[in-house]
Amino acid sequence: MREVQLPEPRWMRARWAAFAAVCAARGWGDNCHAAGPRWHYDDGGGNWADLVHVDADRAVLLGHDHEYSETYHGRAAEYFGEPETDLLAGAPDWWAAPVRAAEADGLWVGFAYGFRDGWLRADYDADDGFDSVNPPFADEARCRGLIDEYTGGHATTAAVDALIAADADVTGELVAAVVGPGLDARAGAAAARAFLGA
């Protein structure tokens, strides 16, 4: 298997929750949210990533970029007439359930990474699309850039810093300072706080 250089799930949470707060305040909560052990992000254009907590020490990060994922797992290989990339090759059994659940929901899965003391993936050379999904939780600059884009540049650096630093323990005041007046800061705070339950 190959190592993947990504933050641990607990370090992803602050950015994921901050961006979820902004999305929910704008009424776009479906784009980024926590639902129990599953954290979801999509860019509104068909590209997505989910982090599924298996337990306190293990997680699976999976998703797909509909333009740039060149890996065809499971029935996607047959559907697209492409060679199959076994995203679970060499992986422990606990990786499989989140992948199968996504496929059962009709989603293509282009990447699946497992975390236990570090991130790993199967050994393949094709572009799996993760970098193209470019999720805000994996990179501080990306998170800040998306927040700036979604708030029209309203937020100060200090306000965004405070929202991220809250690490999902977010108040309506923190959200309001980022999104400005006229949006639902309380919904944003509730969306962020949902990440505390994983």
Side-chain angles (χ1 to χ4, degrees):
M1 304 201 82
R2 295 191 190 180
E3 292 185 5
V4 180
Q5 298 302 313
L6 285 172
E8 295 182 20
R10 63 192 176 112
W11 298 120
M12 293 180 177
R13 182 176 68 181
R15 293 189 290 259
W16 212 321
F19 186 63
V22 172
C23 288
R26 293 187 60 96
W28 301 340
D30 288 346
N31 288 46
C32 188
H33 60 266
R38 178 177 164 262
W39 297 352
H40 176 73
Y41 163 76
D42 73 64
D43 66 0
N47 307 315
W48 64 278
D50 282 357
L51 188 140
V52 179
H53 294 83
V54 176
D55 56 31
D57 301 312
R58 300 178 297 169
V60 177
L61 177 62
L62 67 157
H64 185 259
D65 185 297
H66 72 90
E67 292 179 297
Y68 295 107
S69 291
E70 297 174 357
T71 44
Y72 298 88
H73 179 76
R75 59 187 183 82
E78 180 180 352
Y79 183 88
F80 291 104
E82 297 285 350
E84 182 173 11
T85 303
D86 185 356
L87 300 177
L88 301 175
D93 291 344
W94 54 268
W95 289 31
V99 172
R100 291 182 181 139
E103 291 177 329
D105 285 341
L107 299 170
W108 306 125
V109 179
F111 54 86
Y113 307 156
F115 178 84
R116 185 174 190 172
D117 301 320
W119 289 102
L120 295 173
R121 69 164 174 83
D123 186 11
Y124 52 81
D125 292 320
D127 183 351
D128 62 18
F130 177 81
D131 290 338
S132 301
V133 172
N134 200 17
F137 56 82
D139 180 81
E140 188 88 5
R142 169 67 171 165
C143 182
R144 291 174 179 282
L146 276 176
I147 288 174
D148 187 63
E149 178 184 332
Y150 277 43
T151 59
H154 167 84
T156 65
T157 299
V160 175
D161 285 348
L163 183 64
I164 295 172
D167 191 16
D169 192 8
V170 167
T171 64
E173 291 77 11
L174 286 171
V175 178
V178 171
V179 301
L183 297 179
D184 193 345
R186 290 179 63 187
R193 294 182 67 81
F195 286 79
L196 296 171

